[in-house]
Amino acid sequence: MANYDDDSYFQPSNTKNPEALKYCPGGNPFITFAGRQWWINYHWTQRSGTWADEPFKSIFDPKIIQRTDKGVRLQILPSDQPNVWRTSELVLMDKLGYGEYLVTAEADGGSFSNLDANAIFGAFLYQYSEAPPSNGPNIHREIDFLEVLRSGVGNAQFTLQPYDNNPHPVNFFKIPPGTNAITIYNHWYKDPGFNLVSYFACYAGKWSLGNLPPREAAFAWWMPSNQEGIKRLIPNHTDTSCERLHLNLWLMHGAAPSGPQSVTVTGFEFQPAS
């Protein structure tokens, strides 16, 4: 029988394991940002160290995650191994549940619309273990607030899982050319009728929960709770849920970019659902 909502992957396998800590700057698996602790060696395993196989095929290297005066810089850099790149991921230690999530970020190369074709910047909720069957088909409680990636349809998307659901639970859009800074917003809650809602929006520029513009000012927004066949993929949150916010910059199938890439996460805010 599966151990549903099993949170043991976080403690002590990576955050207190001396072998894992060797890969972290100063032996510290955490970085402090926006008043919270973020885990930087999520992908480490006893078998393969910081190497992660498909779909990443790269090294998730905690040592290239940099704390700067602007925030936290996620990078994609070459490694000393042929055709293997180093990539970055942050995982929030707090399990926040329902509420309003807001992330601000800057494309260090100039514009999110020009991020390398093989690079993906992601902001998403995910739990490592499976949720119980009562949660529905989204077994990892995954909500992809934003994935910046180049495709034939656009250069970004909002997504629920599983992706192979019919219809596909995805909303494609284009980040306007020249957009250096973005604000990612997701409101996950239960409405008065106890229906699950996940409302997605992405804005140009840096905003906060206190001054967020109306959705008409966003360059993209999506409310999958209005779509039959998709709204059932919005996960629930329970006392045993262990979904956490992830922020990453990586390469699909390890495909080499044209050169180093970096995105700086400049802010994070959360307001619990009332």
Side-chain angles (χ1 to χ4, degrees):
M1 180 178 178
N3 293 320
Y4 298 121
D5 291 346
D6 179 3
D7 207 27
S8 61
Y9 181 71
F10 284 76
Q11 302 276 0
S13 60
N14 291 47
T15 59
K16 295 182 179 179
N17 186 320
E19 291 300 313
L21 301 187
K22 291 178 182 177
Y23 292 85
C24 300
N28 186 358
F30 301 112
I31 193 168
T32 301
F33 169 62
R36 298 179 183 273
Q37 292 290 95
W38 301 75
W39 186 27
I40 60 175
N41 68 330
Y42 169 79
H43 287 276
W44 183 89
T45 65
Q46 190 74 51
R47 179 179 58 85
S48 57
T50 55
W51 165 262
D53 209 340
E54 289 288 5
F56 312 106
K57 294 188 75 172
S58 63
I59 296 169
F60 276 87
D61 188 351
K63 293 181 179 178
I64 66 172
I65 297 172
Q66 298 179 340
R67 189 70 172 88
T68 73
D69 57 352
K70 286 187 175 183
V72 180
R73 179 177 294 129
L74 304 178
Q75 300 189 87
I76 297 174
L77 297 175
S79 74
D80 56 4
Q81 302 177 39
N83 302 316
V84 174
W85 288 74
R86 295 181 292 164
T87 55
S88 311
E89 183 152 350
L90 295 174
V91 182
L92 182 63
M93 286 307 297
D94 296 324
K95 296 174 284 187
L96 300 177
Y98 296 129
E100 296 178 271
Y101 294 76
L102 183 142
V103 176
T104 56
E106 289 184 3
D108 298 323
S111 171
F112 279 99
S113 59
N114 293 329
L115 196 66
D116 188 274
N118 292 326
I120 299 174
F121 170 62
F124 57 101
L125 288 179
Y126 181 86
Q127 80 172 46
Y128 184 81
S129 61
E130 291 188 13
S134 58
N135 181 68
N138 191 343
I139 62 174
H140 293 289
R141 291 192 171 94
E142 183 170 353
I143 303 176
D144 297 303
F145 297 173
L146 176 70
E147 289 179 306
V148 180
L149 72 170
R150 304 269 282 278
S151 71
V153 179
N155 58 19
Q157 64 189 40
F158 305 128
T159 322
L160 291 167
Q161 299 295 333
Y163 184 80
D164 59 1
N165 182 77
N166 186 16
H168 291 320
V170 62
N171 181 276
F172 298 107
F173 60 92
K174 290 187 177 181
I175 297 176
T179 304
N180 169 255
I182 59 174
T183 296
I184 305 158
Y185 175 79
N186 189 275
H187 192 183
W188 180 34
Y189 64 100
K190 286 185 177 181
D191 69 15
F194 297 98
N195 299 299
L196 289 163
V197 177
S198 188
Y199 165 68
F200 302 76
C202 196
Y203 298 83
K206 297 179 187 177
W207 303 94
S208 70
L209 289 176
N211 69 356
L212 194 68
R215 70 184 185 188
E216 291 77 14
F219 57 74
W221 66 271
W222 186 42
M223 204 151 184
S225 52
N226 295 331
Q227 296 180 245
E228 292 298 330
I230 291 180
K231 61 184 181 181
R232 69 190 182 96
L233 304 182
I234 300 171
N236 67 348
H237 175 77
T238 70
D239 292 340
T240 62
S241 295
C242 46
E243 73 284 335
R244 288 177 167 89
L245 179 65
H246 292 235
L247 303 170
N248 61 15
L249 187 65
W250 58 287
L251 298 165
M252 181 67 76
H253 308 306
S258 58
Q261 307 289 307
S262 69
V263 169
T264 296
V265 181
T266 57
F268 170 69
E269 295 180 53
F270 175 75
Q271 178 64 44
S274 56

